[in-house]
Amino acid sequence: MLSPRRALILAGAAIALAMAGVPAQAADIPAPGEIVMSPNIQHVTNVPKPEALADIHTDMAFQGDYAYVGNYYGFSIYDIKHPKRTSLVSSVVCPGGQMDVSVYGNLLFGSVDSSRNNDSCSSTGQSADIKESWEGVRIFDIRDKRNPKYIKAIETNCGSHTHTLVPDRRGKNVYIYVSSYSPNANFPDCQPPHDLISIIKVPLRDPAAATVIATPNLFPDGGNPGLPAPYPNGKSATTGCHDITAYPEKGIAAGACMGEGVLMDIRDPEQPRVTATVRDEANFAFWHSATFNNDGSKVIFTDELGGGTRATCNPEIGPTRGANAYYDIQRGQLAFKSYFKIARHQDPSENCVAHNGSLIPVKGKDIMVQAWYQGGISVVDFTDSANPQEIAFFERGPDNTAPALSGGFWSAYYYNGYIYGSDFNLGLDVLKINDPRTNRANGVKFDILNAQTQQQYRERGHH
């Protein structure tokens, strides 16, 4: 008998839609490397990971006709002017995880959250308990796409796990909100309690003058103390933030800060101020990332249950742990509405976790594309935040090119008509969604996409 998951790709749309609600059973897991997807998704192309970058792919950013993909060993630049012919332009070998990237003007910023013996691209790993060790943010000049130039490094407390760009309104400076965590009394540059973020100011005319200008304490009360317990029952304490998403046009930001989610007023980007805090003692293990809807009235928080190295998409963990949580912003506070988790059960060898995504720009609708590691790529309509619905998906069977629990899509973003997925081991995937609920987005064009720096979109035209 044909399994429901195989039916989704092999049968007609009517049958697929009828069976989409059937829960997946163990027998439905695709063969290693086999692609399964909903009928409204097309796999356009895959560009294998560059040989020069031996470690895993991480986050992505976009500007003009180019995609920038981070890797624990550096980053790559891809030409996406013709998405079906996406091609590698260059790779920069500059080790230091995670190298989450963002771009602005002629600059690329990369986060380094692994302690190095110096800030150069030839550095090697060195313990953070040595005062001279370095971690933080690297800045590259990317005017010459074939030959980016490394121009500056800024050390930050506890390194930079992720970072968020906040351009000023006059276009003279860009601020970088640096998220980091895991302080240790033995680390001279990463002392507890570390209830802060670091803010770097980058003068665009002289990026080599970039410097840390503030380290605001977001959690003067110490934040969530957490709940130590064996997986999957532990709850993280707050010792910094994992990720912040800014919405500069609206003067707001949302922080996913390990033990809690926060709203911030960032109208003065040098002095962000926490205005609301929320915790989930029942289901959230580690507040991981945040995304606003287009009008800034909702926030989706993700939970990185198991740190991305566990098989969490299965009946044992269930539908409310390791999920997205949807909150409406009501009178300045966060009001919980619902959870969403992909319903397709994964193999015990497949790491699966709610990870990085972005909005598909459909005016009047709230639709998000999101990576779930080996759970694949999911498209969810959360216009009714109390009842989010998956409307499309793409995934592969277990990745047997790498050790178990170490594969899948790190991030999945929509940019100018296509979905781009950054796969740990298998490279850059390009997808096309063809669905009446999302097709209006094809008329919306952006000049830049840093997923943690949201821009408001209109019905059609250039942004």
Side-chain angles (χ1 to χ4, degrees), residues 150-390:
Y150 184 17
I151 58 174
K152 174 74 173 181
I154 306 101
E155 187 169 16
T156 56
N157 291 329
C158 300
S160 174
H161 194 70
T162 64
H163 70 268
T164 304
L165 298 188
V166 183
D168 73 12
R169 294 182 185 276
R170 296 174 301 156
K172 292 188 174 181
N173 306 289
V174 63
Y175 295 92
I176 306 175
Y177 287 6
V178 176
S179 296
S180 55
Y181 55 93
S182 295
N184 188 306
N186 296 322
F187 297 165
D189 298 322
C190 186
Q191 291 284 301
H194 193 69
D195 293 320
L196 54 83
I197 60 171
S198 298
I199 302 178
I200 298 169
K201 184 177 184 177
V202 183
L204 293 172
R205 285 189 174 178
D206 183 16
T211 186
V212 174
I213 58 151
T215 53
N217 184 349
L218 301 185
F219 303 100
D221 65 350
N224 190 342
L227 176 68
Y231 169 85
N233 299 314
K235 312 294 180 199
S236 177
T238 299
T239 59
C241 290
H242 180 280
D243 211 328
I244 293 168
T245 292
Y247 204 153
E249 290 166 73
K250 295 186 177 293
I252 55 176
C257 299
M258 303 178 68
E260 55 214 289
V262 300
L263 275 181
M264 289 186 272
D265 180 334
I266 60 165
R267 285 174 293 181
D268 178 353
E270 297 190 7
Q271 299 184 60
R273 192 169 54 85
V274 173
T275 57
T277 301
V278 68
R279 298 177 184 175
D280 181 342
E281 309 289 3
N283 287 303
F284 259 46
F286 188 98
W287 295 68
H288 175 267
S289 66
T291 304
F292 289 101
N293 68 335
N294 188 48
D295 68 10
S297 63
K298 303 173 186 175
V299 186
I300 308 124
F301 288 105
T302 68
D303 178 20
E304 195 177 50
L305 174 67
T309 60
R310 298 275 192 163
T312 69
C313 297
N314 52 46
E316 294 74 40
I317 298 298
T320 57
R321 292 198 287 183
N324 297 340
Y326 298 82
Y327 289 82
D328 285 0
I329 302 173
Q330 297 177 348
R331 297 182 294 281
Q333 299 301 305
L334 291 160
F336 173 76
K337 290 298 175 180
S338 67
Y339 296 108
F340 169 82
K341 187 175 178 181
I342 59 170
R344 294 174 302 285
H345 293 156
Q346 304 298 308
D347 187 81
S349 69
E350 291 183 284
N351 51 320
C352 181
V353 68
H355 222 244
N356 297 350
S358 71
L359 299 182
I360 297 181
V362 180
K363 186 73 172 172
K365 293 281 188 182
D366 297 325
I367 300 175
M368 180 174 165
V369 58
Q370 181 183 7
W372 286 79
Y373 281 10
Q374 289 196 69
I377 294 174
S378 175
V379 180
V380 173
D381 185 333
F382 65 103
T383 307
D384 176 359
S385 49
N387 188 32
Q389 300 289 323
E390 182 176 76

Side-chain angles (χ1 to χ4, degrees), residues 393-406:
F393 75 89
F394 173 95
E395 70 160 292
R396 291 183 174 92
D399 180 359
N400 62 358
T401 72
L405 300 171
S406 60

Side-chain angles (χ1 to χ4, degrees), residues 405-458:
L405 300 171
S406 60
F409 289 103
W410 181 284
S411 51
Y413 299 140
Y414 180 96
Y415 181 69
N416 293 351
Y418 291 82
I419 294 168
Y420 295 85
S422 170
D423 187 287
F424 279 37
N425 309 306
L426 304 178
L428 180 63
D429 282 289
V430 185
L431 312 177
K432 180 74 173 171
I433 183 169
N434 181 12
D435 189 288
R437 292 165 289 193
T438 60
N439 286 346
R440 289 206 325 255
N442 291 329
V444 180
K445 300 297 180 194
F446 285 93
D447 297 320
I448 188 169
L449 175 69
N450 296 300
Q452 276 71 45
T453 306
Q454 288 190 226
Q455 304 173 74
Q456 194 160 23
Y457 53 76
R458 299 179 297 275

Side-chain angles (χ1 to χ4, degrees), residues 44-261:
V44 175
T45 192
N46 168 270
V47 183
K49 197 170 62 174
E51 288 184 14
L53 301 181
D55 216 316
I56 66 170
H57 269 353
T58 59
D59 209 359
M60 299 180 286
F62 302 83
Q63 191 174 36
D65 294 329
Y66 296 94
Y68 301 84
V69 181
N71 183 289
Y72 273 70
Y73 263 44
F75 67 92
S76 294
I77 303 176
Y78 295 84
D79 184 335
I80 57 169
K81 184 172 185 179
H82 304 289
K84 293 177 183 176
R85 302 199 299 274
T86 294
S87 61
L88 180 69
V89 177
S90 63
S91 293
V92 173
V93 176
C94 197
Q98 304 174 156
M99 274 303 284
D100 281 4
V101 294
S102 59
V103 291
Y104 194 84
N106 293 319
L107 303 176
L108 177 141
F109 307 94
S111 280
V112 178
D113 192 31
S114 63
S115 189
R116 315 294 294 174
N117 68 331
N118 60 52
D119 63 11
S120 75
C121 286
S122 57
S123 65
T124 56
Q126 177 171 286
S127 173
D129 61 16
I130 299 172
K131 172 66 179 169
E132 290 72 28
S133 295
W134 179 89
E135 50 189 323
V137 173
R138 291 170 171 153
I139 305 178
F140 294 82
D141 185 319
I142 51 171
R143 267 176 289 202
D144 181 351
K145 302 292 186 284
R146 297 191 175 278
N147 188 27
K149 296 276 196 297
Y150 184 17
I151 58 174
K152 174 74 173 181
I154 306 101
E155 187 169 16
T156 56
N157 291 329
C158 300
S160 174
H161 194 70
T162 64
H163 70 268
T164 304
L165 298 188
V166 183
D168 73 12
R169 294 182 185 276
R170 296 174 301 156
K172 292 188 174 181
N173 306 289
V174 63
Y175 295 92
I176 306 175
Y177 287 6
V178 176
S179 296
S180 55
Y181 55 93
S182 295
N184 188 306
N186 296 322
F187 297 165
D189 298 322
C190 186
Q191 291 284 301
H194 193 69
D195 293 320
L196 54 83
I197 60 171
S198 298
I199 302 178
I200 298 169
K201 184 177 184 177
V202 183
L204 293 172
R205 285 189 174 178
D206 183 16
T211 186
V212 174
I213 58 151
T215 53
N217 184 349
L218 301 185
F219 303 100
D221 65 350
N224 190 342
L227 176 68
Y231 169 85
N233 299 314
K235 312 294 180 199
S236 177
T238 299
T239 59
C241 290
H242 180 280
D243 211 328
I244 293 168
T245 292
Y247 204 153
E249 290 166 73
K250 295 186 177 293
I252 55 176
C257 299
M258 303 178 68
E260 55 214 289

